[in-house]
Amino acid sequence: MSISLSKGQRIDLTKTNPGLTKVIVGLGWDTNKYAGSQDFDLDACAFLANKSSQVVNDEEFVFYNNLKSPNGAVEHTGDNRTGAGDGDDEQIAVDFSLLPDHVEKIGISVTIHDADARGQNFGQVSNAFVRLIDAQTNEEVLRYDLGEDFSIETAVVVCELYKHGNDWKFNAIGSGFSDGLADLCRNYGLSV
């Protein structure tokens, strides 16, 4: 049975789900149709960070132009450029057993491609969610609905998967950034 989380809640993943090593992070959203004539291209990405929340290697930033981390532990399944349809709009697969020792956090975020040029922001996005699926059973483990807290933001850290001892946990973050992908990259120690 899936657990529904609120902003700021943390939940254990691997301790209470023994054998959980592979998960799918599914992200979905709708856009308000009155928000202009251009399509919204939202992009999911994953920052593989150390305990200081810094990405030590550019290849450990997984997004539409770098679909897989160096050893395949984290893989973006592809860019959905319109968000059309129901269910997950984009997915990121994570294999905890393959993550390098220095990776202690995975920041999962969503940005709006060309947000400034198109005059778009997350205030025009609704029904945004993240859900975690056990890749072996295809069962939803948890879900976090972001709500409508964003007005000017063009990027959002949706959640973080983080290591605590030998176990992995989930933190429902929902923190917005107004300078898009560049802001997110700086947040995780990458040069832009």
Side-chain angles (χ1 to χ4, degrees), residues 35-106:
S37 60
Q38 299 202 41
D39 282 339
F40 276 69
D41 180 7
L42 274 64
D43 297 310
C45 47
F47 294 89
L48 284 65
N50 62 19
K51 65 181 174 186
S52 302
S53 296
Q54 302 297 291
V55 176
V56 297
N57 170 341
D58 286 352
E59 287 78 44
E60 291 181 330
F61 168 41
V62 177
F63 67 117
Y64 60 86
N65 268 345
N66 179 37
L67 293 175
K68 194 182 286 192
S69 65
N71 71 347
V74 177
E75 183 175 358
H76 191 299
T77 62
D79 188 14
N80 176 338
R81 295 188 176 190
T82 65
D86 292 330
D88 298 342
D89 290 307
E90 293 191 9
Q91 294 183 329
I92 297 172
V94 178
D95 186 337
F96 295 122
S97 69
L98 294 179
L99 286 168
D101 289 341
H102 70 274
V103 174
E104 296 201 18
K105 278 184 185 176
I106 303 170

Side-chain angles (χ1 to χ4, degrees), residues 10-160:
R10 297 170 187 252
I11 189 168
D12 177 75
L13 294 175
T14 56
K15 193 177 205 175
T16 54
N17 297 290
L20 181 68
T21 58
K22 295 179 182 176
V23 297
I24 304 291
V25 180
L27 299 122
W29 50 79
D30 293 320
T31 55
N32 300 331
K33 295 302 171 203
Y34 61 82
S37 60
Q38 299 202 41
D39 282 339
F40 276 69
D41 180 7
L42 274 64
D43 297 310
C45 47
F47 294 89
L48 284 65
N50 62 19
K51 65 181 174 186
S52 302
S53 296
Q54 302 297 291
V55 176
V56 297
N57 170 341
D58 286 352
E59 287 78 44
E60 291 181 330
F61 168 41
V62 177
F63 67 117
Y64 60 86
N65 268 345
N66 179 37
L67 293 175
K68 194 182 286 192
S69 65
N71 71 347
V74 177
E75 183 175 358
H76 191 299
T77 62
D79 188 14
N80 176 338
R81 295 188 176 190
T82 65
D86 292 330
D88 298 342
D89 290 307
E90 293 191 9
Q91 294 183 329
I92 297 172
V94 178
D95 186 337
F96 295 122
S97 69
L98 294 179
L99 286 168
D101 289 341
H102 70 274
V103 174
E104 296 201 18
K105 278 184 185 176
I106 303 170
I108 304 292
S109 58
V110 178
T111 62
I112 302 173
H113 184 70
D114 284 340
D116 289 340
R118 295 177 180 183
Q120 297 172 340
N121 61 57
F122 274 95
Q124 300 161 317
V125 174
S126 57
N127 304 321
F129 68 86
V130 60
R131 64 190 193 115
L132 201 87
I133 304 145
D134 181 331
Q136 292 168 322
T137 65
N138 210 31
E139 289 182 27
E140 184 175 290
V141 176
L142 62 85
R143 181 184 183 98
Y144 166 43
D145 293 302
L146 269 72
E148 311 294 325
D149 293 341
F150 309 102
S151 56
I152 60 167
E153 292 83 354
T154 55
V156 176
V157 175
V158 177
C159 64
E160 281 184 342

